[in-house]
Amino acid sequence: MKFKVIVVGAGISGLTAAYHLKNFGYDVEVLEALDAPGGRMRQVDLCGVRVNTGARMLFTYYKSVMELIHALNIEEEIEYIGMSDFVCQDRGQSYAISFAPDAGLLFNPALKLSTRLRLVNLLPDLLKARFATNPDDMTTSAYADNESMEEYFTRKVGADFVSKVANPLFRGARSWNANDVSPAFFLSTTAHMFGHKAFTFRQGIGYLNEVLASKLDVKYEVSVTRIERNLDNQGVTVHCLENGATTTRIADIIVCATEGAKIKDLVTSKSCEEEDFAGKIRYNSLGIVYHVLKNSPEHRLTFFTQNHSSPLAILESVPEKNNKPNLFCELAPETVKNVGEAGCQDTMDELIIEDSCAHYPALDKDLDYSVNQWIEHMLPVFYPGYIAHLDKFSVYQNSTPNSIYYCGDYMAQALVGGACDSGKRVAEQIRRHHGLAD
Ligand SMILES: Cc1cc2nc3c(=O)[nH]c(=O)nc-3n(C[C@H](O)[C@H](O)[C@H](O)COP(=O)(O)OP(=O)(O)OC[C@H]3O[C@@H](n4cnc5c(N)ncnc54)[C@H](O)[C@@H]3O)c2cc1C
């Protein structure tokens, strides 16, 4: 009988692991709770609006992603996208900023002159990070893991840089406050942006996952309820819920490629190392409201500072383009927390409608209907100290032949590039630990 591997989760990390394992000659089956592949990297129809479940754009510095695109021969499907500048609204003040630190910051009237001059202090750190870090693997950024990003920017540049630039940017793009995470993410990504481009696919962000899934044996609508090592150490039993019935499957190896927050409950026979690491993983959540408009608006993108009274982190007016025109309203981290605690995920639109009208007065007449999107596990939070825990667990996983392996963004980097790379790495570890006889 062939060596059997079950991969739980058909996001980019699970599909990448399965793709490489299949190429190495393993018998691979992928189990996915949803009815389609892609996890947090696909588009779905939500009450008539086409929305992203997560990732909007990829970067050409995602090495494992680029390798896959090349291997699958889908380069011609790449669609490069520009990074739009946007307005940031603070209390009583608004100013333009862009996604990556650029020369425009030197002239930003919202920053003190001393802060603008001290921006130069970031250059040696970015230069070091360009050579020292792998943006697909945060364990290479361990040296930048022992303070918060807020402390780092305050020390290097100035407190106003945190409140006026870094915090609104990270709240909007990642729903992280500058004191939630270490500077490792900023350094390991920003340093690699220069000379690279952002892109999606002509057929949508989920295209890569769809192509991968089409080459694999993926069973959809199979929700794994429990993963358990067999007592005699002979393989692993996977308990599932499919078509309303409970089923079990046995495999030699399991690759757990779910969101990291789920492994605590999913894997019931954890080793001490797994138990310890599972307790260290944190994810944030996100709430988004789409106010569908009757008329197509001009494109505008506004970020709000934490000091601003708006319950939003981002407000974007999205013109009609193969989709219904809408006002994209991303909730601020504090609002997300309140919604989570109150359990009002289905009525977030009611919570923000007044503020939306204040920023977009035409909404009163132009609103067709509103759609709420709640993402329970948005991104792993690389809080100061997390990389040390990740590093320890990664060394354990890499060096200890096992029957359960883990991959996903929380194992590498809070981006598609990291998730994909962790899937590739897990496949290589399994081949090294459990090589197939010719
Ligand atoms: C709002 C948002 C915006 C983002 N923007 C970007 C961006 O612009 N660029 C970027 O690079 N990254 C971005 N990201 C991050 C990126 O989307 C993720 O890091 C990446 O897609 C994670 O891939 P994964 O395979 O680790 O997990 P997932 O994609 O979450 O895959 C896990 C899969 O496991 C399945 N699963 C879970 N539990 C079970 C179970 N019990 N049984 C069976 N299946 C199960 C899930 O349904 C899912 O399909 C964003 C994320 C979000 C949420």
Side-chain angles (χ1 to χ4, degrees):
M1 209 179 81
K2 254 183 140 185
F3 204 85
K4 167 106 183 172
V5 181
I6 290 181
V7 176
V8 181
I12 184 69
S13 65
L15 292 172
T16 304
Y19 174 77
H20 288 291
L21 285 164
K22 188 180 169 198
N23 286 346
F24 294 157
Y26 293 89
D27 175 14
V28 188
E29 184 181 29
V30 183
L31 305 179
E32 168 56 53
L34 303 173
D35 62 1
R40 281 169 287 153
M41 183 188 165
R42 67 200 168 102
Q43 288 183 303
V44 291
D45 187 290
L46 209 58
C47 308
V49 191
R50 200 159 163 74
V51 308
N52 294 310
T53 56
R56 270 192 186 204
M57 62 178 85
L58 313 178
F59 285 89
T60 51
Y61 67 76
Y62 296 176
K63 196 161 167 266
S64 298
V65 169
M66 298 314 289
E67 278 171 13
L68 268 183
I69 290 173
H70 183 67
L72 297 168
N73 204 11
I74 55 170
E75 287 101 333
E76 72 283 1
E77 291 297 327
I78 286 179
E79 186 172 75
Y80 293 105
I81 39 182
M83 306 277 273
S84 47
D85 286 350
F86 52 89
V87 166
C88 187
Q89 278 201 17
D90 196 4
R91 252 178 221 276
Q93 184 186 35
S94 63
Y95 45 90
I97 40 177
S98 59
F99 275 104
D102 63 5
L105 279 174
L106 294 172
F107 306 100
N108 192 318
L111 297 176
K112 288 190 214 155
L113 180 61
S114 56
T115 299
R116 287 186 250 160
L117 293 174
R118 292 181 72 206
L119 280 168
V120 72
N121 291 341
L122 297 179
L123 290 178
D125 291 5
L126 287 170
L127 202 63
K128 174 179 171 186
R130 176 86 183 204
F131 294 101
T133 66
N134 171 356
D136 290 342
D137 178 6
M138 286 285 264
T139 60
T140 60
S141 318
Y143 68 89
D145 182 41
N146 45 22
E147 65 183 329
S148 72
M149 187 164 65
E150 180 177 27
E151 288 164 330
Y152 169 78
F153 281 134
T154 305
R155 179 166 65 76
K156 288 274 176 176
V157 190
D160 55 335
F161 181 74
V162 177
S163 60
K164 310 272 185 187
V165 178
N167 214 30
L169 257 177
F170 277 87
R171 284 160 64 82
R174 317 243 86 204
S175 206
W176 291 334
N177 277 314
N179 60 5
D180 291 336
V181 292
S182 77
F185 180 86
F186 163 77
L187 289 169
S188 67
T189 54
T190 312
H192 294 273
M193 275 185 185
F194 302 105
H196 283 279
K197 291 192 224 166
F199 68 94
T200 178
F201 297 99
R202 278 185 232 290
Q203 301 189 42
I205 192 77
Y207 182 65
L208 175 59
N209 288 315
E210 286 160 21
V211 176
L212 279 172
S214 71
K215 299 187 179 302
L216 295 162
D217 174 16
V218 188
K219 305 279 186 341
Y220 297 105
E221 298 185 87
V222 179
S223 187
V224 172
T225 52
R226 197 150 45 97
I227 299 170
E228 203 173 14
R229 283 184 178 88
N230 294 338
L231 276 182
D232 51 5
N233 239 359
Q234 292 301 299
V236 185
T237 301
V238 180
H239 300 261
C240 311
L241 201 59
E242 50 188 310
N243 298 323
T246 51
T247 55
T248 54
R249 285 173 167 78
I250 292 181
D252 297 288
I253 302 283
I254 297 297
V255 175
C256 190
T258 67
E259 302 90 321
K262 295 188 176 169
I263 66 175
K264 205 171 194 306
D265 297 328
L266 208 52
V267 181
T268 53
S269 53
K270 291 192 272 304
S271 65
C272 297
E273 289 83 355
E274 289 168 320
E275 192 73 55
D276 183 49
F277 180 56
K280 303 291 192 298
I281 300 166
R282 288 185 207 156
Y283 273 70
N284 63 353
S285 303
L286 184 66
I288 301 172
V289 175
Y290 303 82
H291 293 306
V292 178
L293 303 173
K294 293 176 193 153
N295 296 297
S296 187
E298 241 181 79
H299 180 251
R300 285 228 177 91
L301 176 57
T302 307
F303 280 50
F304 297 95
T305 66
Q306 195 169 2
N307 286 334
H308 197 280
S309 56
S310 175
L312 303 180
I314 296 182
L315 179 78
E316 182 175 15
S317 48
V318 184
E320 190 164 4
K321 191 191 165 202
N322 311 322
N323 200 4
K324 289 192 172 159
N326 63 82
L327 270 193
F328 171 92
C329 306
E330 185 182 300
L331 271 51
E334 300 73 28
T335 320
V336 170
K337 187 165 179 278
N338 292 341
V339 167
E341 282 168 6
C344 58
Q345 288 88 342
D346 295 337
T347 52
M348 294 184 292
D349 55 318
E350 293 171 16
L351 207 68
I352 63 154
I353 189 71
E354 210 175 294
D355 187 77
S356 310
C357 285
H359 293 288
Y360 191 85
L363 189 62
D364 217 9
K365 291 207 186 86
D366 227 12
L367 178 65
D368 192 352
Y369 62 99
S370 300
V371 176
N372 294 297
Q373 181 186 21
W374 180 256
I375 302 170
E376 180 65 26
H377 299 113
M378 180 194 182
L379 292 168
V381 181
F382 281 69
Y383 56 85
Y386 177 72
I387 299 177
H389 300 305
L390 171 61
D391 206 12
K392 190 171 156 200
F393 188 71
S394 296
V395 169
Y396 164 76
Q397 174 157 289
N398 191 39
S399 59
T400 319
N402 222 319
S403 50
I404 304 178
Y405 288 79
Y406 301 86
C407 64
D409 50 6
Y410 67 102
M411 288 293 292
Q413 169 67 294
L415 289 169
V416 168
C420 179
D421 198 60
S422 78
K424 182 184 165 200
R425 249 181 290 145
V426 141
E428 283 163 356
Q429 284 161 353
I430 291 172
R431 178 161 71 160
R432 190 154 37 81
H433 294 165
H434 309 274
L436 294 177
D438 289 332

